[in-house]
Amino acid sequence: MEPTARAFWVTSPGKGEIRDVSLRAPGSDEVLVRTLYSGVSRGTESLVLRGGVPESQYEAMRAPFQEGDFPGPVKYGYLNVGVVEEGPLEGRVVFCLYPHQTRYVVPADAVTVVPDDVPPARAVLAGTVETAVNALWDAAPLVGDRVAVIGAGMVGCAVARLLAGIPGAEVQLVDVDPARAETAERLGVRFAAPEDAEGDRDLVFHTSATEAGLVRSLELLAAEGEVVEMSWYGDRAVSVPLGEAFHSGRLAVRASQVGMVAPARRTRRGFAGRMALALRLLADPAFDALIPGESAFADLPRLAAEGLPPLCHRIAYREDPACSV
């Protein structure tokens, strides 16, 4: 019998629906995966849900297994954890950059085995931690560096947790929401509101996707410091203050984006190695702070209409009839 599945599609800005899907049988070098969990990204997926992807970036923003085109209808997503039902790795729990769908067929080399010491429910963060790994490769923070992370969303929190493991590093997580103080505590870093953040920073990672956050990032830098810009602004224009101390302080702003392996590691690490590292790092239970809530797969259309919760919202598939073994 031909396997079947159900998938979530964004049909228009703020609207989505679940559609039935027919799957082909996997080939000899492919796997059939039954989804256990997927994750909804508050950052990039928010832009997709509100139709905010600029036309000039339609191709650059495509997810690896996206179907349809922006602004919609489009099947979009990239945080998926499931168990292999057929093909190589049968019975193993794997991570894949696949949209929200109950079952799917992909090449075997498109999945990464989740280590035994990483709970599948936490492994949905692999794509986010991979982004953080790439940013640290770009920035190359040193022992004892004074670092600020502005924006306590999924990516900012992941960056902060990795920075906390550098000996002697002083890490502060900066956000306008005082409720993020509890998250920062769970991640083992200090919290500060933007107006209270300490300056003289060697590095600032900016992840808030706001003009105000970028301005504050530059203000916090020490002389010859660097802002690592990780925000994706979509179709919004952003002003960068290049006056005041920018020239005299020899400040720098550079982009970090997960679509390419950081130049510092590109000749020695590929995408597969970077993803495997991200999954190994998720053995750290502190990352559970990035997943404050969970909903059933059937609730995705409602989430699209009401707006995404903060941080990562986990989608559980065990209650969907199409997900039963």
Side-chain angles (χ1 to χ4, degrees):
M1 179 181 297
E2 185 180 63
T4 60
R6 303 174 72 207
F8 173 70
W9 284 72
V10 177
T11 54
S12 61
K15 296 183 179 179
E17 65 183 26
I18 293 175
R19 299 179 177 180
D20 292 331
V21 178
S22 294
L23 301 180
R24 56 182 173 78
S28 60
D29 59 348
E30 294 180 313
V31 290
L32 170 64
V33 179
R34 172 173 55 87
T35 303
L36 301 173
Y37 301 97
S38 63
V40 184
S41 161
R42 175 66 183 268
T44 304
E45 285 196 69
S46 290
L47 284 172
V48 174
L49 286 173
R50 70 175 178 84
V53 179
E55 188 173 351
S56 65
Q57 297 299 304
Y58 279 2
E59 285 303 313
M61 279 284 293
R62 289 191 69 87
F65 294 100
Q66 173 181 323
E67 292 184 35
D69 298 300
F70 300 119
V74 61
K75 185 175 75 176
Y76 192 86
Y78 47 84
L79 302 173
N80 190 300
V81 175
V83 60
V84 177
E85 291 192 317
E86 295 182 33
L89 305 173
E90 184 172 348
R92 300 299 302 272
V93 175
V94 295
F95 176 86
C96 186
L97 297 168
Y98 204 87
H100 309 282
Q101 184 166 311
T102 57
R103 281 185 171 88
Y104 54 91
V105 176
V106 293
D109 61 6
V111 303
T112 304
V113 173
V114 175
D116 292 338
D117 59 348
V118 177
R122 188 189 303 151
V124 295
L125 294 171
T128 303
V129 175
E130 182 190 23
T131 301
V133 167
N134 207 56
L136 264 67
W137 283 352
D138 272 326
L142 301 176
V143 170
D145 269 0
R146 297 158 298 182
V147 189
V149 180
I150 295 188
M154 288 174 61
V155 172
C157 287
V159 169
R161 181 57 185 174
L162 295 185
L163 289 168
I166 298 175
E170 298 178 14
V171 185
Q172 59 179 343
L173 185 59
V174 182
D175 200 274
V176 296
D177 184 359
R180 289 289 186 272
E182 181 181 350
T183 305
E185 183 177 3
R186 293 178 64 185
L187 295 172
V189 299
R190 290 183 294 166
F191 176 82
E195 62 274 15
D196 299 325
E198 296 181 14
D200 205 31
R201 301 294 96 182
D202 301 296
L203 281 169
V204 177
F205 292 82
H206 180 233
T207 68
S208 80
T210 66
E211 184 175 310
L214 178 55
V215 171
R216 189 64 177 133
S217 297
L218 288 167
E219 292 173 344
L220 295 181
L221 284 178
E224 299 194 335
E226 180 176 81
V227 172
V228 180
E229 177 58 271
M230 302 181 67
S231 300
W232 169 242
Y233 297 94
D235 55 359
R236 289 174 293 149
V238 177
S239 297
V240 182
L242 302 183
E244 301 182 5
F246 186 80
H247 276 279
S248 62
R250 295 173 54 86
L251 307 182
V253 179
R254 65 174 302 173
S256 179
Q257 205 275 339
V258 73
M260 299 180 69
V261 175
R265 295 293 180 271
R266 196 172 299 163
T267 60
R268 300 187 296 280
R269 303 284 184 92
F271 291 105
R274 189 178 64 183
M275 178 61 75
L277 171 59
L279 280 163
R280 292 200 303 274
L281 291 169
L282 280 168
D284 179 2
F287 283 108
D288 287 335
L290 276 64
I291 311 176
E294 180 178 289
S295 296
F297 172 70
D299 288 334
L300 274 169
R302 177 183 59 80
L303 291 173
E306 296 179 357
L308 299 179
L311 298 177
C312 179
H313 196 71
R314 186 168 57 217
I315 305 300
Y317 289 66
R318 56 184 174 271
E319 298 176 3
D320 192 278
C323 300
S324 59
V325 178

